[in-house]
Amino acid sequence: MYDVIIIGAGPAGLTAAIYARRASKSVLLIEAKSYGGQIINTPHIDNYPAEPGISGFDFATKVFEQAKALGAETVFEKAVRIEDGKIKKVVTNAAVHECRAVIIATGSENRKLGVEGEDALVGRGISYCATCDGAFFRGRTVAVVGGGNTALEDALYLSELAETVYLIHRRDGFRGDDATVKLLYSRENVKLVLNSRVTKLNAEKRLKSIEVTDNDGKVTELEVNGLFVAVGRIPENQNFASLIELDSAGYAKAGEDCKTKTPGVFVAGDNRTKEVRQLVTAASDGAAAATEAVKYLNSIA
Ligand code: NAP
C-alpha cells in the first residue's frame, strides 16, 4: 500500500515523486518503458533554467536518481486501468498495486503519418526518433515530416549527419521556433518541401523513395533512405478515461491544480490540457499535482 502511485516516470512524474517524498509520503512510480519519457530523445536542452546544453538523457537520469535517493520506488510495468475507491488499485500488465492517491503523468505517444505501409517499414527506413536512429543514416539522404519544434530540431540534427535532408511540411508556415527555422535556412544540405504531404512509400525490403503531393496535386518522387516522422503526439489517457474527463483531442481536462473529476486522481504533464507543453511546465505540473495529492491525503487521514 502506497500513499501515492505515479503513473509515468517522465519529467512530470519524477518531479511529482520528489515533491511527494519530500512531504514524507510513500511513492511508487509505474513506468511502461524507460524513465525520462520523451525528453530522453532530445540531444541538447537549452530552454530549461540552470543547465543549458545538457542532454535529455543526462537530465532524465539526474532527476530519476534524485527521486530514487529520496526513497521513491519504481516498477517497469504498463498501467492498464485504475479501480477507484477509498483504496485505489492500479492494475498493470504484471500486478495490482494499491494506494490512496494517483497521479497520471503518462505524457503522449508518437502520432503516425497514416500512409499505407508505414508500420511495416518502422526500423527499415521509418523512424520516430532522429536522435535514436539518425546515426544509421550518416552520409545518406533522409526526409523529416512536420512543422513543429520536433521536426525542426530533427532536421537540424540530421543535417549534421546526412548528406541531404528534405523537410516536408503541409503548410508554408512553421509552428516551431523562429530561431530554429533561421538556423535551418542557413544549412545548405536542408531542402524545404512546403505545402506538401507524403502520400506514398516505395520499398524493397527497406524504404527506397517517397511520393510527395503538393497542395495543387503535383506528385514528386524523392529518393530517400530514411523518413523521420515528427507530426506531433497523442496524449496517453485512454486507459483512464472512466475516471478523468477528456477533451476532443484526448487531453485530460484539469486546471493548474491538476485535479480531475475523481477525488484523489490527478493528471500532470503533456497529457493535461494546457497552452505550453515544455520540460519546464511538465516539471511544474509534477510539483502542483504532488502538492494537491498531499493535501488530499492529509484530508482523508
Ligand atoms: P506539434 O508542435 O504539435 O507539431 C506537429 C506538426 O506536425 C505540425 O507542424 C503539424 O502541422 C504537423 N502535422 C500534424 N499532423 C500531421 C499529418 N497527419 N501529416 C502531416 N503533418 C502533420 O508537435 P511537436 O513538434 O512534436 O511538438 C510537441 C510539443 O513539444 C510542442 O509544444 C513543442 O513546442 C514542444 N517541443 C519543444 C521542444 C523544445 O522546447 N526544445 C522540442 C520539441 C518539442 P500544422 O502546423 O499544419 O498543424
Side-chain angles (χ1 to χ4, degrees), residues 38 42 44 46-47 111-113 145-151 153 169-171 173-177 196-197 230-233 270 275-278:
Q38 192 189 343
T42 298
H44 305 287
D46 281 327
N47 54 5
R111 176 180 289 124
K112 299 201 168 166
L113 267 185
V145 193
N149 274 321
T150 304
E153 288 182 10
H169 181 35
R170 64 185 180 183
R171 297 188 290 125
F174 289 103
R175 199 177 278 272
D177 294 349
S196 301
R197 294 166 191 264
V231 295
R233 304 185 60 86
D270 277 8
E275 285 294 316
V276 183
R277 290 196 176 84
Q278 296 281 297

Side-chain angles (χ1 to χ4, degrees), residues 44-100:
H44 305 287
I45 299 170
D46 281 327
N47 54 5
Y48 193 86
E51 287 231 49
I54 189 172
S55 77
F57 180 75
D58 287 348
F59 178 88
T61 302
K62 280 187 167 188
V63 191
F64 181 63
E65 292 301 334
Q66 188 178 353
K68 219 166 66 172
L70 283 166
E73 295 174 31
T74 311
V75 291
F76 291 94
E77 296 169 10
K78 168 101 180 147
V80 292
R81 68 173 188 277
I82 302 167
E83 289 174 9
D84 192 29
K86 196 170 174 204
I87 292 170
K88 301 182 195 308
K89 293 181 180 170
V90 180
V91 181
T92 72
N93 58 330
V96 178
H97 304 280
E98 292 184 340
C99 62
R100 294 185 178 85

